[in-house]
Amino acid sequence: MVKGNLFILSAPSGAGKSSLISALLKHESSRPMQVSVSTTTRNPRPGEENGVHYHFVEKKTFEQQIAENVFYEYAEVFGNYYGTSSAAIDEQLSQGIDVFLDIDWQGAQQVRMKKPDVTTIFIAPPSRKELENRLRGRGQDSDEVIADRMAQAQSECSHYQEFDYIIVNDDFDTALTDLVTIVNNQRLKRSQQTTVYQDLFNDLLAND
Ligand code: 5GP
């Protein structure tokens, strides 16, 4: 069986990354796909469920898990810890599931060191103004928080050159098509196709 592919999607908050990922998961696919559920010390937002959107834990628990080497990568973002647990990912990849990590540039750097064949995708908003509109449109945050998030967004965007692919999320459907194309591109690589179609090539090359 061919192992699953690992993908990283990074974006400044407000670029539409979460919506793109959930649309991708609903899209028709030749292989199973899952988004990794991260662990975080931040408080749940309205509508977020423990174990579905994140594993919400206390800072003390997170630090204990760091010491126990639970995490593939972890980082501090907006003053909270976020981390990806190794066990869940390795299990999914070995079952042939394509795994998507929704993590920041710091996490992307760590995963790249451990798994050089990871495919990394940066999602950008179409403009700074539109990014700010989208952040305000959520209606959840104060002006101070928005200003802070805009500064964080700039810091996230400053790492765009480290990624394999860039998607500009102006028109949502176009961005989704771009994302599906990148995923299929990875799956169609010779290294994967020769494993999937080993019997076919044995047959095509048989002398009878
Ligand atoms: P939010 O609090 O809005 O859900 O996420 C804030 C930021 O943390 C996003 O950029 C998101 O990609 C990032 N993030 C979420 N989970 C992880 C993780 O497990 N590791 C790292 N490094 N970043 C994460």
Side-chain angles (χ1 to χ4, degrees), residues 9-13 17-18 36-40 42-43 45 48 53-54 62 71 73-78 80-85 101-108 110 138 149 156:
L9 287 111
S10 294
S13 136
K17 178 177 53 172
S18 309
S36 156
V37 179
S38 297
T39 303
T40 184
R42 85 149 159 76
N43 291 325
R45 296 195 184 115
E48 284 184 335
H53 298 92
Y54 281 105
F62 198 102
F71 296 114
E73 63 74 32
Y74 71 91
E76 206 176 323
V77 189
F78 306 134
N80 289 299
Y81 280 129
Y82 293 81
T84 309
S85 117
L101 305 184
D102 169 350
I103 62 178
D104 81 328
W105 65 271
Q106 303 173 83
Q110 294 171 47
R138 284 182 182 179
R149 293 221 148 194
E156 187 79 38

Side-chain angles (χ1 to χ4, degrees), residues 72-167:
Y72 212 63
E73 63 74 32
Y74 71 91
E76 206 176 323
V77 189
F78 306 134
N80 289 299
Y81 280 129
Y82 293 81
T84 309
S85 117
S86 311
I89 295 186
D90 290 341
E91 172 67 21
Q92 289 166 350
L93 291 175
S94 69
Q95 287 175 10
I97 299 170
D98 283 357
V99 179
F100 295 83
L101 305 184
D102 169 350
I103 62 178
D104 81 328
W105 65 271
Q106 303 173 83
Q109 282 189 349
Q110 294 171 47
V111 175
R112 240 183 244 113
M113 303 274 282
K114 291 185 181 166
K115 231 183 160 348
D117 61 346
V118 63
T119 302
T120 60
I121 306 163
F122 185 80
I123 299 166
S127 68
R128 180 200 281 254
K129 187 77 206 127
E130 176 60 21
L131 179 67
E132 191 173 338
N133 288 344
R134 289 180 190 174
L135 288 176
R136 287 196 184 283
R138 284 182 182 179
Q140 287 173 0
D141 302 309
S142 64
D143 277 0
E144 204 186 328
V145 171
I146 299 282
D148 203 41
R149 293 221 148 194
M150 284 301 287
Q152 287 287 345
Q154 196 170 32
S155 149
E156 187 79 38
C157 289
S158 72
H159 292 271
Y160 75 96
Q161 304 221 35
E162 297 166 21
F163 290 78
D164 300 321
Y165 294 94
I166 293 174
I167 295 175

